[in-house]
């Protein structure tokens, strides 16, 4: 093996100080296998060494939370299923950003495959996929290729594996020119008595490798994902994994079949850092040691070394600990599904040796590492960060100042509906199979996607949300808003929001201004989760999302993507955004809470209208009143459950005018609406004040009677509601639905055909 020189250490992503810790942990110099294992386990992607101390601030518990962060995915109680068996929703979101920039199809495809494995590893059958995508400027020379590849990769994998892709979001900004974001989320359903965890136990129990063979693809993938891009981004293509969705489908079925028996002690997906992370995590969580015979690892390429086997991120692989004697039964199941099966090691006694990872190859020990330094005692940094005042000075967000009013509300609305951030995503979602499984009730083109829990009247509502421009202007308020918007979207379909997962995408944490974004967003998220009673049960941190490559941007906008999940007790009560009939009253909830002296009304700072119409990204992010957010969400759900509203839509990007246009286009019915006399037209129609919903009401008398009951906060239930018009006709704000639809559908069609 080559000598461990400073250059070799640097190539493995370890600092000189971290290498000194390796020497201390081993009491000697490592060999190359051991150095490689330390490098991936101590990478930002695996160890969260820059974020762990701040992640501890997040609320993770509630009576309905069965398992919070620390396992493959989060688990929440969703009540009884068929036969009275209690069920659980299991879900998580993860990133595959760097691989998707280097090789968009495989990067996105394997991102979907990896998050699917995180969910079915725990015993759940996946029922829905979502994604959150951020791209650079559409006129960037590489961007169309990236969009086409990522969308094809998501569809190519998800469609083949037979899990519907039901929702997500796609945004564009120059900050993502050199580092796009591809975040994937999966939701699954399991019986609570068949949930599986990853802690290895039982000295002598066999460790089993199942799935695909190991190749040389993806070696150092975790290390690559823990560094920013330089000029050599394309040279990193070999670090991108290659996926096979058909094998993944076989693996799902084989695992679920084995899970129906009593054979499994522990199970772990081979994700980032492959065989290394899966074996280390299983042993460390179980307080055990582990011994592996590398000659027994199934390999698809000749001459593979233990270093390559341990660091490969080949896809569609799992590691299991089985009960003794169950190997023949398990092998028969996996052979039936035409998958590899090999007993490659055993659980060892931590009391005897302190818990070590021992690897043997050709009858020699090629690795002997104590497990504690790899996992629980991995480096942990409290990196310096700017204060709020220092950050605002660094960010240089200009005060809003004077804003010209809209010269033509209808023309501005048309331009907004055609802009990349609001244009129809039909070109994207038509490439995804959203109906496989026949349980999809609603896609998230409105607010939240809704998927029926098979065999029950229940349904799961889910949404992914984040507004990065808010997070850049004010990380704390932006973090609050990202959580609150998923709460709003889930409430808008009538479901009770239960818990969230997250994918925290930021740039280089060694820069104090970036750490200020991380700390501020996490503190805002934490505040929102506590007030909304909406805990975080799983997640992922993706740092070093910036690029020095030619033509690329520097740091991405702070993007703490949130994936929310809620529960509808009866999907028959589900609400949608579409106007249902002419002549129904239209109400706006939430705006009137700003009544009083010096009212803050019609927030245009950081709005899409300001950016798209005036080319400015100025002003503060809108504030989020969390108490009123919670009260409004509860009241909206009450109105939906009582059948008093026929359509519901939250007000977000583009403000009230865009929300009305989206509802009108969804239903094919126009709206006759009026402005508020106390608001400037642009502020009323395009302001992005938070906590607002548009409701349509068929029976105004019954609606008013419900309000008069005073079952909710008075400010929310009375002064927070204003009738603004009536459904009907074929126009919105003087613009025909035909013109709105043409503008809305223009962007992707023209871009992709150019």
């Amino acid at each position: 093996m080559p000598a461990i020189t400073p250059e070799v250490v640097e190539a493995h992503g370890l600092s000189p100080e971290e290498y000194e810790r390796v020497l201390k942990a081993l009491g000697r110099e490592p060999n190359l296998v051991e150095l490689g294992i330390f490098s991936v386990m101590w990478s930002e992607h695996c160890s969260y060494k820059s974020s762990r101390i701040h992640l501890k601030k997040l609320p993770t518990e509630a009576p309905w939370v069965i398992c919070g962060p620390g396992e493959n995915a989060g688990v929440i109680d969703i009540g009884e299923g068929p036969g009275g068996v209690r069920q659980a929703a299991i879900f998580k979101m993860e990133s595959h950003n760097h691989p998707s920039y280097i090789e968009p199809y495989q990067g996105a495809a394997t991102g979907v495959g990896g998050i699917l494995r995180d969910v079915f590893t725990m015993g759940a059958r996946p029922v829905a996929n979502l994604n959150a995508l951020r791209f650079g400027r559409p006129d960037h020379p590489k961007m169309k290729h990236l969009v086409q590849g990522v969308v094809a990769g998501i569809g190519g994998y998800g469609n083949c594996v037979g899990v519907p892709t039901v929702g997500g979001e796609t945004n564009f900004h120059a900050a993502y020119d050199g580092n796009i974001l591809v975040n994937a989320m999966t939701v699954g359903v399991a019986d609570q008595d068949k949930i599986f965890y990853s802690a290895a136990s039982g000295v002598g129990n066999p460790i089993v490798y199942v799935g695909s063979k190991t190749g040389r693809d993806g070696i150092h993938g975790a290390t690559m994902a823990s560094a920013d891009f330089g000029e050599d981004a394309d040279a990193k293509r070999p670090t991108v994994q290659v996926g096979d969705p058909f094998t993944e489908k076989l693996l799902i079925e084989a695992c679920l079949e084995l899970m129906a028996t009593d054979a499994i002690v522990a199970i772990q997906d081979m994700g980032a850092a492959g065989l290394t992370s899966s074996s280390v995590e299983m042993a460390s969580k179980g307080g055990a040691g582990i011994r592996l015979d590398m000659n027994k690892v199934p390999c698809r390429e000749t001459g593979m070394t233990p270093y390559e086997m341990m660091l490969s991120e080949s896809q569609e692989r799992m590691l299991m600990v089985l009960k003794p004697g169950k190997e023949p039964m398990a092998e028969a199941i996996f052979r039936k599904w035409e998958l590899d099966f090999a007993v490659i090691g055993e659980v060892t006694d931590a009391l005897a040796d302190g818990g070590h990872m021992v690897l043997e190859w050709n009858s020699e020990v090629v690795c002997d590492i104590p497990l504690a330094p790899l996992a629980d005692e991995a480096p942990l940094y409290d990196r310096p960060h700017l204060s709020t005042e220092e950050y605002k000075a660094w960010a240089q967000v200009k005060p809003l100042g004077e804003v010209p009013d809209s010269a033509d509300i209808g023309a501005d609305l048309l331009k907004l509906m055609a802009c990349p951030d609001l244009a129809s995503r039909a070109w994207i979602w038509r490439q995804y199979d959203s109906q496989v499984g026949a349980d999809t009730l609603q896609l998230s083109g409105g607010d939240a996607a809704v998927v029926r829990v098979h065999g029950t009247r229940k349904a799961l509502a889910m949404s992914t949300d984040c507004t990065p421009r808010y997070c850049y202007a004010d990380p704390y308020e932006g973090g609050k808003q990202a959580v609150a918007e998923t709460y709003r979207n889930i409430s808008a379909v009538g479901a009770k929001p239960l818990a969230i997962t997250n994918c925290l995408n930021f740039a280089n944490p060694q820069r104090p201004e970036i750490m200020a974004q991380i700390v501020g967003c996490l503190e805002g998220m934490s505040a929102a989760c506590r007030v909304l009673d909406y805990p975080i049960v799983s997640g992922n941190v993706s740092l070093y999302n910036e690029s020095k490559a030619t033509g690329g941007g520097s740091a991405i906008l702070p993007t703490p993507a949130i994936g929310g999940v809620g529960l509808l007790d009866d999907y028959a009560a589900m609400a949608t955004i579409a106007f249902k009939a002419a002549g129904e009253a239209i109400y706006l909830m939430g705006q009137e809470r700003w009544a009083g002296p010096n009212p803050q009304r019609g927030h245009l700072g950081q709005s899409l209208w300001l950016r798209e119409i005036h080319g400015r990204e100025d002003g503060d992010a809108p504030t989020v009143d969390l108490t009123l957010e919670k009260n409004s969400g509860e009241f909206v759900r009450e109105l939906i459950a009582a059948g008093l509203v026929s359509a519901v839509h939250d007000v977000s990007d583009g403000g009230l005018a865009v929300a009305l246009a989206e509802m009108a286009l969804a239903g094919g019915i126009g709206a006759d609406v009026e402005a508020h006399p106390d608001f400037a037209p642009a502020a009323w129609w395009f302001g992005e004040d938070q906590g607002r919903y548009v409701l349509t009401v068929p029976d105004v008398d019954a609606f008013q009677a419900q309000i008069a009951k005073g079952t909710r906060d008075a400010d929310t239930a009375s002064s927070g509601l204003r009738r603004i018009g009536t459904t009907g006709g074929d126009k919105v704000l003087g613009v025909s639905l035909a013109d709105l639809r043409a503008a809305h559908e223009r962007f992707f069609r023209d871009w992709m055909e150019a």
Side-chain angles (χ1 to χ4, degrees):
M1 290 188 181
I4 307 301
T5 64
E7 291 75 20
V8 172
V9 172
E10 182 180 9
H12 281 75
L14 294 172
S15 69
E17 294 78 16
E18 287 171 341
Y19 185 63
E20 287 298 319
R21 292 184 61 164
V22 171
L23 296 177
K24 184 176 180 181
L26 292 177
R28 56 176 171 80
E29 284 197 353
N31 61 37
L32 189 62
V33 176
E34 293 166 333
L35 181 69
I37 289 171
F38 271 104
S39 78
V40 293
M41 291 306 299
W42 286 7
S43 68
E44 198 76 59
H45 196 76
C46 292
S47 72
Y48 295 171
K49 57 191 175 186
S50 297
S51 57
R52 287 208 313 271
I53 62 171
H54 300 290
L55 293 173
K56 293 176 181 177
K57 303 172 185 176
L58 299 173
T60 60
E61 298 179 348
W64 52 88
V65 173
I66 297 172
C67 178
E71 272 294 338
N72 287 291
V75 186
I76 58 173
D77 180 7
I78 59 169
E80 290 188 358
V85 176
R86 293 199 71 81
Q87 293 181 299
I90 299 179
F91 58 99
K92 190 180 182 183
M93 179 186 276
E94 280 204 344
S95 64
H96 231 222
N97 303 332
H98 286 54
S100 298
Y101 181 80
I102 296 168
E103 211 302 299
Y105 185 94
Q106 289 296 346
T110 53
V112 173
I115 197 64
L116 282 165
R117 288 193 299 279
D118 279 337
V119 168
F120 75 75
T121 293
M122 298 196 68
R125 179 171 290 280
V127 298
N129 287 333
L130 300 91
N131 52 73
L133 311 177
R134 263 85 191 184
F135 297 105
R137 295 165 296 158
D139 60 358
H140 187 280
K142 193 171 183 177
M143 211 50 57
K144 183 159 76 168
H145 163 72
L146 289 171
V147 172
Q148 290 171 331
V150 165
V151 171
I154 291 170
Y157 204 100
N159 297 352
C160 292
V161 84
V163 178
T165 300
V166 299
E169 53 182 341
T170 305
N171 298 118
F172 297 84
H173 192 280
Y176 304 102
D177 279 356
N179 199 127
I180 64 173
L181 302 184
V182 176
N183 296 171
M185 176 178 172
T186 293
V187 181
V189 174
D191 292 342
Q192 290 186 22
D193 61 353
K194 287 294 183 181
I195 296 173
F196 292 83
Y197 299 98
S198 59
S201 62
V203 174
N205 279 350
I207 296 172
V208 173
Y209 172 122
V210 301
S212 291
K213 288 180 169 62
T214 295
R216 291 188 170 96
D217 52 322
I219 292 175
H220 281 302
T223 306
M224 178 268 292
S226 303
D228 57 17
F229 282 138
E231 302 287 347
D232 61 342
D234 285 340
K236 296 181 178 180
R237 192 177 303 272
T239 64
V240 178
Q241 310 93 325
V242 177
D244 180 351
F246 298 104
T247 299
E248 181 99 340
K249 175 62 174 173
L250 299 176
L251 189 59
I252 291 173
E253 299 305 329
C255 286
L256 292 177
E257 182 175 339
L258 184 60
M259 287 167 172
T261 73
D262 65 345
I264 299 174
V265 175
I267 181 170
Q268 176 74 40
D269 162 43
M270 289 193 218
L275 187 52
T276 291
S277 64
S278 56
S279 56
V280 169
E281 289 172 12
M282 291 178 78
S284 60
K285 287 177 184 177
I290 193 165
R291 183 191 64 79
L292 302 179
D293 184 345
M294 304 308 294
N295 292 97
K296 295 181 179 178
V297 174
C299 294
R300 69 167 179 263
E301 300 184 47
T302 59
M304 289 192 68
T305 65
Y307 178 92
E308 293 171 324
M309 295 178 209
M310 293 302 293
L311 301 189
S312 168
E313 294 185 6
S314 294
Q315 297 291 285
E316 294 88 39
R317 302 179 300 159
M318 312 284 278
L319 200 64
M320 299 180 180
V321 176
L322 299 182
K323 293 179 180 178
K326 299 294 184 179
E327 301 95 320
M329 176 190 67
E331 181 172 8
I333 291 173
F334 282 89
R335 297 296 183 196
K336 181 185 76 173
W337 290 100
E338 300 181 346
L339 296 167
D340 274 278
F341 178 99
V343 178
I344 65 169
E346 64 180 8
V347 178
T348 58
D349 187 356
L351 295 178
D353 59 9
H356 279 232
M357 166 185 272
V358 177
L359 308 180
E360 296 178 1
W361 189 51
N362 295 338
S363 302
E364 293 184 4
V365 173
V366 294
C367 170
D368 187 347
I369 303 177
L371 285 163
L374 287 176
D376 296 338
E377 298 172 13
L380 178 63
Y381 299 125
D382 186 359
R383 298 199 186 275
H385 59 275
L386 301 183
S387 67
T388 300
E389 293 73 22
E390 291 169 335
Y391 175 78
K392 288 185 176 180
W394 172 84
Q396 296 183 327
V397 176
K398 295 179 181 178
L400 184 59
E402 292 296 320
V403 178
D405 209 340
S406 176
D408 187 332
I409 294 295
D412 287 357
L413 176 59
L414 276 172
K415 188 170 182 180
L416 280 174
M417 293 297 287
C419 80
D421 274 5
L422 291 177
S424 168
R425 269 58 178 145
W427 179 86
I428 295 176
W429 58 253
R430 283 174 182 157
Q431 298 183 56
Y432 302 155
D433 187 340
S434 62
Q435 300 299 324
V436 61
D439 286 321
T440 304
L441 303 177
Q442 180 176 172
L443 303 181
S444 68
D447 287 312
V450 181
V451 176
R452 177 175 51 198
V453 179
H454 201 73
T456 76
R457 299 292 301 176
K458 298 180 298 184
L460 295 174
M462 54 204 79
S463 176
T464 63
D465 291 289
C466 182
T467 310
R469 63 184 186 274
Y470 295 171
C471 295
Y472 181 84
D474 187 329
Y476 180 76
E477 287 297 333
K480 285 167 59 180
Q481 192 272 343
V483 172
E485 188 164 353
T486 66
Y487 185 90
R488 258 195 321 272
N489 282 332
I490 290 169
S491 294
V493 300
K496 177 178 174 54
L498 292 177
I500 66 176
T501 183
N502 60 63
C503 195
L504 307 177
N505 307 273
F506 295 93
N508 188 337
Q510 297 177 55
R511 295 167 55 187
E513 62 271 19
I514 303 303
M515 274 309 302
Q517 295 174 349
I518 296 170
V519 172
C521 285
L522 285 171
E523 289 178 347
M525 290 165 54
S526 178
C529 290
R530 292 183 194 282
V531 174
L532 300 176
D533 204 12
Y534 195 32
I536 293 174
V537 297
S538 60
N540 170 245
V541 178
S542 175
L543 304 182
Y544 295 94
N545 288 292
E546 57 185 80
S547 172
K548 300 181 180 68
T550 302
S554 53
I556 64 163
L557 297 179
T559 312
I562 304 296
V565 174
L567 180 67
L568 267 164
D569 290 328
D570 187 344
Y571 56 75
M574 176 187 72
T576 69
I577 73 167
F579 288 158
K580 304 300 187 299
E584 295 189 345
I586 304 173
Y587 282 82
L588 174 65
M589 172 184 280
Q591 191 73 54
E592 291 299 296
R593 67 171 181 266
W594 300 116
N598 301 314
Q600 178 185 348
R601 290 172 165 168
H603 190 98
L604 289 173
Q606 298 300 320
S607 66
L608 272 188
W609 177 83
L610 188 68
R611 189 182 83 189
E612 296 297 324
I613 304 302
H614 295 288
R616 292 170 52 185
E617 298 186 46
D618 303 342
D620 293 330
T623 57
V624 180
D625 184 325
L626 293 170
T627 300
L628 286 168
E629 192 80 61
K630 184 177 183 181
N631 290 335
S632 296
E634 290 175 346
F635 189 55
V636 164
R637 298 197 300 272
E638 183 179 289
L639 293 172
I640 294 170
L644 295 172
V645 290
S646 57
V648 181
H649 192 14
D650 88 307
V651 180
S652 56
D653 287 346
L656 175 59
V658 168
L660 290 166
E662 290 172 340
M663 298 175 83
L665 288 176
I669 299 170
D672 181 11
V673 289
E674 61 184 20
H676 193 296
D678 297 338
F679 285 68
W684 174 252
W685 294 118
F686 302 114
E688 295 182 7
D689 307 77
Q690 298 297 293
R692 298 183 298 162
Y693 301 81
V694 176
L695 318 170
T696 56
V697 178
D699 186 337
V700 172
D701 291 339
F703 182 73
Q704 293 291 348
Q706 184 77 10
I707 294 170
K709 290 180 181 180
T711 56
R712 295 291 172 209
D713 178 89
D715 182 58
T716 298
S718 55
S719 66
L721 275 166
R722 180 183 181 87
R723 183 167 178 174
I724 61 171
T726 306
T727 60
D730 63 354
K731 294 182 179 180
V732 176
L733 296 175
V735 183
S736 72
L737 294 186
D739 287 346
L740 280 171
R741 196 175 305 279
H744 193 46
E745 295 176 354
R746 181 184 310 138
F747 168 69
F748 274 102
R749 181 196 63 216
D750 292 354
W751 189 30
M752 292 302 162
E753 290 178 358

